Amino acid sequence: MFRTRTPTTRLGAQALTGALLACGLCALGAGRAAATTAPAQRPAVPFSATQPDFNGDGYPDLVIGAPQAAVAGAAHAGYVAVMYGSVDGLALDRRTVISRNTGGVPGSPKPNESFGYAVTSADLDDDGYTDLVVGNSDGPGTRSVILWGGPDGLSGATAVPGSLAATGDFNGDGAQDVALMDTAASSNDDPFGTTAVVWNGPISRAGHPASSYTFGENEKYFDMRAVAAGDLNGDGHDDLVALEYTGEGAYATALYTAGASGLGNGTQLTSEAPPASISLAIGDVNGDGFGDVLMGGGDYGAGRLRIGYGAADGPKPSDQWPVIDQNSPGVPGANESGDGFGASLAVGDVDGDGIEDVAVGVPGETLGTTNGKVAAGNIILLRGSLEGLSGVGAQGVSQDTAGIPGTAETGDHFGGRVALDDVTGDGHADLAGAAPHEDGGNGAVWSVRGTGKGLVAAGALVVGPKGINAPATGAAFGADLR
Ligand SMILES: [Ca+2]
Ligand SMILES: [Ca+2]
Ligand SMILES: [Ca+2]
Ligand SMILES: [Ca+2]
């Protein structure tokens, strides 16, 4: 759980506002079913308070991965761009670009390392400033880095094992931990296998965790492809969900329920049909204090979002999970093969009612009814409520939405990645949506503001690599966001 210090008191105040609004909704909903009653387990700080604030000014910041960029002559070496939030949102001149070529970052730019293909954050040294974990895709055997937050933003770095990371307080001691997976994506029958280790926080800048342990007995034989962390059973320990390649063309998702000693062995949540292009997120979308598992995408088809609501004994079996797709009432757009509804997901409270909402990327969506722009892409905002996530109040945003910069074009894949960070610090999460294929594969990211009425076009901004003087050609800018 994110703990506030002096520079982040704005976030604390927003958390209080959100809680009061949520209680107001409880009162309004008093005549409804007992299931809407707020339980005692509700956390003191909403999940959305875990947003990254690297410079500790109270305004959450946005991280953009550009893993395919050439750096210092090394093709596909990659970098990350950090855009700092402010009362006016993001600005092109308020950013830091960091690669293996940046002073203080271990290593040097390496062809095909794809630094920045996966990014995640938490305050890992417990100094009140969020830190950033940047992964590479050249595993197994690769080493990621932690970039350290501070009053001037990110600077300095420490090498850590693995290519893919998830942060959370797994052992429930109040310090943020990081699960580090040394893994890779095998395209053969046999997985490479994963070495999964947790570094318990706080972690020193010299690279020493408070303690560490390995977890996941079966993962020695499986590849981990995607991960998400959050507390699904309300016991104060963050749990982990992972998408895994188990070999012979088979995929599954697994749940690692954390206990007093942290993460142990996984149990299977779902089996997935290949190619298992699943995105994972955890957030509390029904305001009951239990984190809920969100699984988006699923195949090259229309895509769907499955919701495993958390509870004291964890989520129900997955065959009982509700499903939302573009056939669901209120959800914009048509349910078509290839849309990839849910190929990317992000959780945050956009409308400020204290309940988390979900941005759903639909990067394969065709826009326009005649001569449709195939895979121009779309992002749909679904609202959380005390009854759960639904199509009620859903909104679609694309480059063809009035007031949004840019023009939707065939193959942009707008919505290939999404994030919900409150970069204006007003208590409403703002949308970041990437089109990694925009501009011939250079990529670009849009920032769209959240309000009490949802997403609005006013103040929308587009950030591309050229606009921040970063390497642009084929960069896949926005291939990951945090
Ligand atoms: Ca900030
Ligand atoms: Ca820190
Ligand atoms: Ca919940
Ligand atoms: Ca909300």
Side-chain angles (χ1 to χ4, degrees), residues 141-187:
T142 192
R143 287 176 76 76
S144 298
V145 297
I146 302 173
L147 303 173
W148 300 105
D152 298 320
L154 290 170
S155 66
T158 299
V160 293
S163 57
L164 182 67
T167 57
D169 182 6
F170 302 114
N171 62 1
D173 66 354
Q176 289 286 309
D177 315 313
V178 59
L180 298 160
M181 276 63 75
D182 187 358
T183 189
S186 171
S187 54

Side-chain angles (χ1 to χ4, degrees), residues 44-67:
V45 182
F47 289 90
S48 51
T50 60
Q51 305 192 3
D53 182 7
F54 304 108
N55 59 359
D57 62 358
Y59 297 98
D61 311 313
L62 174 69
V63 182
I64 301 168

Side-chain angles (χ1 to χ4, degrees), residues 65 67 92 182 290 332 376 405:
L92 297 183
D182 187 358
F290 299 105

Side-chain angles (χ1 to χ4, degrees), residues 111-446:
N112 304 312
E113 185 182 54
S114 299
F115 182 84
Y117 102 103
V119 287
T120 189
S121 65
D123 180 10
L124 292 169
D125 63 354
D126 204 19
D127 68 349
Y129 297 93
T130 310
D131 311 304
L132 180 66
V133 188
V134 182
N136 321 297
S137 68
D138 65 336
T142 192
R143 287 176 76 76
S144 298
V145 297
I146 302 173
L147 303 173
W148 300 105
D152 298 320
L154 290 170
S155 66
T158 299
V160 293
S163 57
L164 182 67
T167 57
D169 182 6
F170 302 114
N171 62 1
D173 66 354
Q176 289 286 309
D177 315 313
V178 59
L180 298 160
M181 276 63 75
D182 187 358
T183 189
S186 171
S187 54
N188 302 318
D189 285 349
D190 295 334
F192 289 114
T194 301
T195 302
V197 57
V198 171
W199 280 25
N200 285 322
I203 295 166
S204 75
R205 295 192 177 200
H208 302 298
S211 56
S212 66
Y213 59 94
T214 57
F215 71 98
E217 182 61 27
N218 289 328
E219 282 55 40
K220 291 172 192 165
Y221 312 104
F222 302 160
D223 295 343
M224 281 197 187
R225 294 285 177 89
V227 287
D231 186 2
L232 302 179
N233 59 3
D235 66 352
H237 299 265
D238 285 320
D239 310 304
L240 187 77
V241 174
L243 170 66
E244 300 176 347
Y245 177 58
T246 59
E248 308 292 337
Y251 296 81
T253 60
L255 168 63
Y256 303 81
T257 303
S261 54
L263 297 170
N265 293 328
T267 56
Q268 185 171 324
L269 267 181
T270 65
S271 62
E272 301 294 337
S277 50
I278 302 287
S279 62
L280 299 171
I282 294 176
D284 184 8
V285 297
N286 62 354
D288 65 357
F290 299 105
D292 310 313
V293 180
L294 305 164
M295 288 188 191
D299 47 43
Y300 286 131
R304 58 185 178 148
L305 175 61
R306 290 169 284 169
I307 307 153
Y309 287 103
D313 52 358
K316 291 177 181 171
S318 59
D319 59 3
Q320 298 174 42
W321 294 6
V323 174
I324 297 176
D325 63 21
Q326 286 185 299
N327 286 325
S328 302
V331 178
N335 198 66
E336 295 156 317
S337 179
D339 281 352
F341 181 87
S344 62
L345 296 174
V347 176
D349 185 8
V350 173
D351 54 17
D353 65 354
I355 303 176
E356 301 215 282
D357 311 308
V358 180
V360 180
V362 197
E365 181 114 300
T366 297
L367 299 179
T369 48
T370 55
N371 302 318
K373 293 172 263 191
V374 175
N378 194 9
I379 297 170
I380 293 173
L381 178 70
L382 300 176
R383 309 276 187 103
S385 77
L386 294 174
E387 287 80 28
L389 201 64
S390 75
V392 176
Q395 276 183 284
V397 174
S398 76
Q399 290 183 67
D400 278 352
T401 302
I404 301 294
T407 302
E409 295 159 307
T410 294
D412 280 348
H413 293 96
F414 179 84
R417 276 290 188 280
V418 287
L420 285 173
D421 289 342
D422 180 15
V423 294
T424 59
D426 65 354
H428 298 281
D430 308 301
L431 171 69
H437 297 177
E438 177 83 14
D439 196 9
N442 294 357
V445 175
W446 282 251

